[in-house]
Amino acid sequence: MTEPKAAKSEQTRMLIVETALRLFRERGYEATTMRGIAKEAGVSVGNAYYYFGSKEELIQAYYDELQKEHNVACRAVLDRESDFAPRLLGVLKARIDTMVPYHAFAGKFFKFAAEPTSPLNPFSAESGPSRQGAIAIYREVVDGSDLKIDSGFREELPELLWLYSMGIVLYWVHDSSPGCRKTYLLVERTVPLVKRMVSMSRLPGFRSVTRDLVGVIRDVRA
């Protein structure tokens, strides 16, 4: 009986998440209440609070679902391309594609994520699984490419690419252009620059700088 109960519990949890995200898109974040989510999902308010203590916890669930969507959206380019730049470009565009439907209330999400003490902060312990999942995608970008760079730099590059993507996300939050056109343009224009900088790390004059950068990263992380 345990497995059917667990499966039903997960179905209820996902129903609440999907309902919340739909209402966030349709009504906006502020206008959506836990009571409204419960009603639309066909569960009691108490049951909704059993799975999620607040709308903020639903945002964390949104992060997790967005990460899953991004993983799926990346598959085509990662399975097809071996060149570093197209792999990175495809992954970043897929990231924007999965976020665009939620752009109208992205600022509300960012307000919580920007608070240093918030569990929704991308650097918090609570956000660890989704953060590591995101970094894993960029590790796949690097490891599946024909990129030839110093082994120490290669080890740290996925996290640096994730930080780069976080900068893209921040720009996207404030992008008011139709269809977030400027964010896509930013990605298209900066990816070639990233590839050039990464490739330059192999040049004799840049190797020591790259090693120093790796050292800084590891010291800060420690």
Side-chain angles (χ1 to χ4, degrees):
M1 294 295 292
T2 302
E3 289 185 6
K5 285 183 179 179
K8 184 177 180 180
S9 177
E10 180 60 20
Q11 288 175 356
T12 301
R13 180 183 180 279
M14 287 308 303
L15 174 62
I16 295 170
V17 172
E18 291 167 2
T19 302
L21 294 182
R22 175 172 61 81
L23 293 180
F24 287 162
R25 288 195 301 268
E26 294 175 356
R27 303 177 183 178
Y29 179 79
E30 295 290 355
T32 301
T33 64
M34 289 295 287
R35 182 174 295 277
I37 293 168
K39 181 179 179 180
E40 287 286 326
V43 302
S44 69
V45 177
N47 203 13
Y49 275 109
Y50 171 79
Y51 289 97
F52 301 99
S54 65
K55 286 196 296 184
E56 288 77 12
E57 288 187 16
L58 280 163
I59 296 177
Q60 185 64 62
Y62 154 75
Y63 289 161
D64 295 340
E65 290 306 305
L66 194 62
Q67 186 60 49
K68 292 177 184 177
E69 291 180 26
H70 188 210
N71 286 339
V72 173
C74 290
R75 292 272 53 89
V77 67
L78 293 178
D79 291 343
R80 182 181 69 248
E81 295 285 352
S82 60
D83 187 89
F84 173 73
R87 289 172 72 83
L88 180 59
L89 179 64
V91 165
L92 288 171
K93 282 188 172 181
R95 176 67 169 165
I96 302 168
D97 290 343
T98 56
M99 295 190 304
V100 163
Y102 307 96
H103 188 259
F105 54 89
K108 299 296 183 182
F109 284 5
F110 178 73
K111 179 177 70 174
F112 294 108
E115 174 58 47
T117 59
S118 170
L120 298 175
N121 186 303
F123 298 96
S124 71
E126 292 84 353
S127 295
S130 57
R131 179 174 63 251
Q132 291 306 316
I135 293 174
I137 291 179
Y138 295 103
R139 187 167 301 285
E140 190 172 354
V141 169
V142 174
D143 291 345
S145 75
D146 53 10
L147 197 62
K148 297 185 184 342
I149 54 176
D150 176 79
S151 60
F153 186 42
R154 175 180 286 272
E155 179 63 26
E156 303 300 336
L157 184 56
E159 187 166 350
L160 290 174
L161 293 177
W162 172 71
L163 291 171
Y164 161 54
S165 76
M166 294 299 290
I168 298 293
V169 171
L170 177 59
Y171 183 87
W172 168 80
V173 169
H174 298 280
D175 184 4
S176 60
S177 64
C180 300
R181 179 184 58 82
K182 289 185 178 180
T183 303
Y184 285 102
L185 179 62
L186 178 64
V187 169
E188 291 169 359
R189 297 293 295 273
T190 56
V191 164
L193 296 177
V194 171
K195 181 178 180 180
R196 286 171 61 187
M197 289 188 288
V198 169
S199 299
M200 286 172 63
S201 69
R202 298 180 59 201
L203 298 178
F206 288 89
R207 286 177 184 171
S208 61
V209 175
T210 301
R211 293 193 182 100
D212 288 344
L213 175 60
V214 170
V216 169
I217 294 169
R218 292 176 177 174
D219 288 345
V220 170
R221 184 190 296 129

